Amino acid sequence: MDAAGGGELSLAAVRDALVRLEDSVVFALIERARHPRNAPAYAPAGGGGRSLVEFYVREAEALNAKAGHYQKPEDVPFFPQDLPSTLFPTKSSPQVLHPLASLVTVNDAIWKMYFDELLPLFTVDGDDGSYAETVVLDFACLQLLSRRIHIGKYVAEVKFKDAPQDYSPLIQAKDSNSLMDLLTFKAVEEKVKKRVEKKARTFGQNVTLEDNAGGSGFKIDPTVLSKLYDQWVMPLTKDVEVEYLLRRLD
Amino acid sequence: MDAAGGGELSLAAVRDALVRLEDSVVFALIERARHPRNAPAYAPAGGGGRSLVEFYVREAEALNAKAGHYQKPEDVPFFPQDLPSTLFPTKSSPQVLHPLASLVTVNDAIWKMYFDELLPLFTVDGDDGSYAETVVLDFACLQLLSRRIHIGKYVAEVKFKDAPQDYSPLIQAKDSNSLMDLLTFKAVEEKVKKRVEKKARTFGQNVTLEDNAGGSGFKIDPTVLSKLYDQWVMPLTKDVEVEYLLRRLD
């Protein structure tokens, strides 16, 4: 992660990375919302009965791997089987996480959430025929949500380092519920929900030369963003944190 | 183009598509500006001495073609040689342009402009090692700029249909300069420049829960956007319009 640039992990740097990624998530959802649902992109078709979106994500991940992606613990592929090696020189980042960090993934849950729950909330019914563009935009949303959520590995590491005496007994007892409680800060979560909703209101307005101040509606319902963070992004991030912590003393 | 959904091309629909794409261009540039220049992504390397960015764009275009992209006259690949056919069913759009529209491309000029002129203007010097992410974001910028500029084909068609008596003699005389004059509306161009700058100011602000109103700087210099449109996007769009019109009576 950029937050680990100096080799020393700080909570401020991890928070900055998370806050910056909120903008990217909002942008990506607004871009996907340009197109209607486009159901044919998700129906079994083509080679082997796979949907266009599954075909595209598998192939795009293979291409990204050749280009040097998926070297960092927060970049987790959705289809990790048989990913090719990079063909280009990469720069290695300092290892600040426990080596087992790479095993922690909640991508299956992210995939299901995105297609079953989120997509119907922020796209309108319909079919504009732009299936290829649609799945490219879906992949961008999926990747950003996955990176956002898997940065939970760094959050957990920072919190553990800050208070190993609180975490270690719960880890040794494999007490997931108490770890979850220890990681939960309701006041912080409320702030995040409000901030992403404000970002959606700001970035989703229809800007004209007249001073309309968003008067003509938004490109995406801002409450979808607070719901996304409340119901899925923050809970899944904490799942990542717990899964990471449970391996932290191995 | 979405603007041709009903089979009937209207200037209002083409303008709406252009205005909406401004948002996408601003988003894409802001996203690329998250990373510094990352020069190693552009240096000859890997297989055949190609740069990472050239490798990535070639492969990504091949994948997008398999997914059904590049079926519309405004979607023009940068490396059109040997693109594979689509593996998935596509929906054909009504043909509203002259059949020779598909021959019109200014992608070589867009490529050169983007890497030689634009990139140094809106990215900072430096190397964060995220080369794969960087070229993915470059490709998004390139594709959006290319689509924006090649929508000039529809602009030209609408203008021609509106006043064939003005355009036809100039087309027959192959008088590019007079066509360019006829297509140029300085007042409209000034409005576009102001609008994209305002969009960059709106979408590039650092949104916090406190009411700072962009007080803490922008993620991209808003004047880069007006310069981009003034010096490159609008002139290249008019090049596309002239090239299209010169073939319009064939």
Side-chain angles (χ1 to χ4, degrees):
Chain A
M1 191 176 54
D2 304 343
E8 193 59 53
L9 198 63
S10 82
L11 187 56
V14 176
R15 285 220 173 114
D16 281 352
L18 291 176
V19 169
R20 179 60 192 81
L21 263 175
E22 289 165 6
D23 297 18
S24 303
V25 168
V26 173
F27 287 172
L29 264 58
I30 289 173
E31 288 298 275
R32 174 60 184 87
R34 271 196 286 139
H35 297 282
R37 190 99 75 261
N38 282 341
Y42 311 108
R50 278 182 187 155
S51 64
L52 173 60
V53 76
E54 185 181 336
F55 164 81
Y56 181 79
V57 173
R58 282 180 183 273
E59 295 285 323
E61 290 194 333
L63 170 57
N64 286 358
K66 286 188 210 165
H69 202 53
Y70 308 117
Q71 313 263 333
K72 301 178 199 161
E74 69 272 32
D75 291 326
V76 183
F78 285 86
F79 297 100
Q81 306 82 4
D82 310 317
L83 273 190
S85 315
T86 177
L87 304 176
F88 289 84
T90 56
K91 214 170 166 175
S92 63
S93 317
Q95 191 178 324
V96 294
L97 300 183
H98 189 283
L100 292 179
S102 59
L103 296 183
V104 176
T105 168
V106 294
N107 268 349
D108 288 350
I110 294 172
W111 181 277
K112 215 174 133 43
M113 174 278 286
Y114 181 79
F115 291 108
D116 296 352
E117 314 268 1
L118 185 61
L119 204 50
L121 280 185
F122 78 101
T123 54
V124 297
D125 270 326
D127 181 344
D128 69 2
S130 299
Y131 311 133
E133 284 146 272
T134 295
V135 298
V136 170
L137 297 168
D138 284 328
F139 181 50
C141 292
L142 284 167
Q143 266 204 313
L144 285 165
L145 288 167
S146 177
R147 184 182 300 157
R148 163 61 182 78
I149 287 165
H150 289 105
I151 287 181
K153 299 173 187 181
Y154 296 89
V155 177
E157 176 65 21
V158 169
K159 287 180 177 169
F160 175 83
K161 278 243 179 84
D162 205 40
Q165 70 285 1
D166 296 341
Y167 286 97
S168 298
L170 301 177
I171 294 170
Q172 271 143 0
K174 299 189 198 310
D175 185 350
S176 304
N177 290 338
S178 300
L179 282 171
M180 186 62 90
D181 288 343
L182 201 54
L183 293 164
T184 301
F185 298 90
K186 278 286 166 210
V188 174
E189 295 185 3
E190 285 304 313
K191 269 184 70 171
V192 173
K193 280 166 55 183
K194 284 208 183 103
R195 190 174 56 229
V196 292
E197 192 174 321
K198 186 173 176 186
K199 287 182 175 185
R201 263 199 318 273
T202 305
F203 303 144
Q205 58 186 298
N206 293 302
V207 174
T208 62
L209 280 178
E210 296 75 50
D211 203 2
N212 64 334
S216 58
F218 298 109
K219 295 191 201 79
I220 190 169
D221 175 359
T223 65
V224 167
L225 266 293
S226 51
K227 183 176 165 128
L228 165 63
Y229 270 70
D230 183 40
Q231 299 208 357
W232 299 301
V233 170
M234 293 191 292
L236 285 168
T237 303
K238 287 190 286 184
D239 286 345
V240 166
E241 293 178 46
V242 169
E243 287 300 313
Y244 176 81
L245 288 171
L246 288 173
R247 293 169 169 86
R248 182 60 180 77
L249 299 176
D250 288 2
Chain B
M1 191 177 56
D2 304 343
E8 192 60 51
L9 197 63
S10 81
L11 187 57
V14 176
R15 286 223 171 112
D16 281 353
L18 291 176
V19 169
R20 179 61 192 80
L21 262 175
E22 290 166 5
D23 297 20
S24 303
V25 167
V26 173
F27 287 171
L29 264 58
I30 289 173
E31 288 298 275
R32 173 61 184 86
R34 271 197 287 141
H35 297 282
R37 190 100 77 260
N38 282 340
Y42 312 108
R50 276 182 188 156
S51 64
L52 173 61
V53 76
E54 185 181 336
F55 164 81
Y56 181 80
V57 173
R58 283 179 183 273
E59 295 285 323
E61 290 195 333
L63 170 56
N64 286 359
K66 285 187 209 164
H69 202 53
Y70 309 118
Q71 313 263 334
K72 300 178 201 161
E74 69 272 32
D75 290 327
V76 183
F78 286 86
F79 297 99
Q81 306 80 5
D82 309 317
L83 273 191
S85 314
T86 177
L87 303 177
F88 288 84
T90 56
K91 214 171 165 175
S92 62
S93 317
Q95 190 179 323
V96 292
L97 300 183
H98 189 282
L100 292 179
S102 58
L103 296 183
V104 176
T105 167
V106 294
N107 268 350
D108 288 350
I110 294 171
W111 181 277
K112 215 173 134 44
M113 174 279 287
Y114 181 79
F115 291 108
D116 296 352
E117 313 268 2
L118 186 60
L119 203 50
L121 280 185
F122 78 100
T123 55
V124 298
D125 270 326
D127 181 344
D128 69 2
S130 300
Y131 310 133
E133 285 146 270
T134 295
V135 299
V136 170
L137 297 168
D138 284 328
F139 182 49
C141 292
L142 284 167
Q143 266 205 313
L144 286 165
L145 288 167
S146 178
R147 185 181 301 157
R148 163 62 182 78
I149 287 165
H150 289 105
I151 288 181
K153 299 174 188 181
Y154 295 89
V155 177
E157 177 65 23
V158 169
K159 287 180 178 171
F160 176 82
K161 278 243 178 86
D162 205 40
Q165 70 285 0
D166 295 343
Y167 286 96
S168 297
L170 301 176
I171 294 169
Q172 272 144 359
K174 299 189 199 308
D175 186 349
S176 303
N177 290 337
S178 300
L179 281 171
M180 187 62 91
D181 288 343
L182 201 54
L183 293 164
T184 300
F185 298 90
K186 278 286 166 209
V188 173
E189 294 185 4
E190 285 304 313
K191 269 185 70 170
V192 172
K193 279 165 56 183
K194 284 205 182 106
R195 190 174 55 228
V196 292
E197 193 175 319
K198 186 174 176 186
K199 287 183 176 184
R201 263 199 319 273
T202 304
F203 303 144
Q205 59 187 297
N206 293 300
V207 174
T208 62
L209 280 179
E210 296 77 50
D211 203 2
N212 63 335
S216 58
F218 298 109
K219 295 191 202 78
I220 189 168
D221 175 358
T223 65
V224 167
L225 266 293
S226 50
K227 184 177 165 128
L228 165 63
Y229 269 71
D230 183 40
Q231 299 208 358
W232 300 301
V233 170
M234 293 191 292
L236 286 168
T237 303
K238 287 190 287 184
D239 287 345
V240 166
E241 293 178 47
V242 169
E243 287 302 311
Y244 176 81
L245 287 171
L246 288 174
R247 292 171 170 85
R248 181 60 180 74
L249 299 176
D250 289 2

